[in-house]
Structures are given as C-alpha cells and as structure tokens.
Amino acid sequence: MIDAGTATTVTYINKEKAFLGGVICPGLGISAKALFEQTSALDPVDLVIPPSVIAHTTEHAIQGGLMFGHAGMITSLVERIKRRTARCLFRFSVYRWRFTCIATVATPRLYF
C-alpha cells in the first residue's frame, strides 16, 4: 500500500492484512520545500508534471526532478519489495502469488 502525503509510505501487508514491513520517505511537498529552502539559486515552482522529462528551462527541470523523481522512487521501492517477496515465497515453495498495489494520495491532481 502506498500513501503519498506529507510523507510517502510504502507498506507491505499480506492477504490477511497483517503488517509485514514498510518504508517511509519524504513526501513530494517536503522534498520540494527542502529543495527551495536549502538552495539559494532555485525559486519555488508549481508542482505539476512538466511537458517532458528532458527539460529546457530551470522551472521544468525542477518540476521534472520532483515529479518524475518521486514517481521513480515509489516505482523502485515497490519493485524491490516485489523482488524480495518473490524470493521469500520461492524459498518456501509457494510458486503462485499475487501482488496488488493500492495507492492513496493527499493531492490526486499531482499524480493523475
């Protein structure tokens, strides 16, 4: 389960809804705030998806780094959890398994 809010969490639960572990990362807003507050040359930008992952302006480069970077972080974490789960299940001779991902977001307009 992915919750993209102030913090972005990826929680691993089984079909009985038991918590098996997870990851906590800075959320998109916190990441943006840190970038703008901790750098002297970058001005805040709107958190929207830019026209392309390859940016030709500073504004689009920041937007791409934040938006595509956050999406990439989530994708990578989910894939790592899936691979780890598959290895554990294979080791215990469970060959058929289903992995379902559920996402909740505080500001869906940023993601959809």
Side-chain angles (χ1 to χ4, degrees):
M1 178 175 291
I2 301 162
D3 180 16
T6 304
T8 296
T9 61
V10 180
T11 305
Y12 179 51
I13 59 175
N14 64 13
K15 67 181 178 178
E16 288 81 27
K17 300 179 185 168
F19 173 78
L20 300 177
V23 179
I24 301 171
C25 304
L28 184 59
I30 288 175
S31 296
K33 183 178 179 186
L35 181 66
F36 304 133
E37 289 181 357
Q38 300 299 316
T39 58
S40 59
L42 299 178
D43 294 322
V45 299
D46 292 330
L47 293 178
V48 297
I49 297 173
S52 172
V53 69
I54 300 172
H56 299 287
T57 67
T58 301
E59 178 182 19
H60 288 164
I62 294 169
Q63 290 169 334
L66 289 168
M67 301 302 288
F68 297 129
H70 202 72
M73 174 189 71
I74 293 169
T75 300
S76 176
L77 290 169
V78 169
E79 288 302 317
R80 287 170 181 261
I81 290 169
K82 283 171 67 175
R83 283 195 305 270
R84 175 71 178 134
T85 303
R87 281 198 304 271
C88 290
L89 292 174
F90 185 75
R91 188 175 59 202
F92 294 109
S93 299
V94 178
Y95 297 105
R96 292 177 49 114
W97 63 285
R98 193 177 97 202
F99 192 91
T100 302
C101 193
I102 300 168
T104 64
V105 295
T107 50
R109 68 179 179 79
L110 296 178
Y111 295 89
F112 303 105

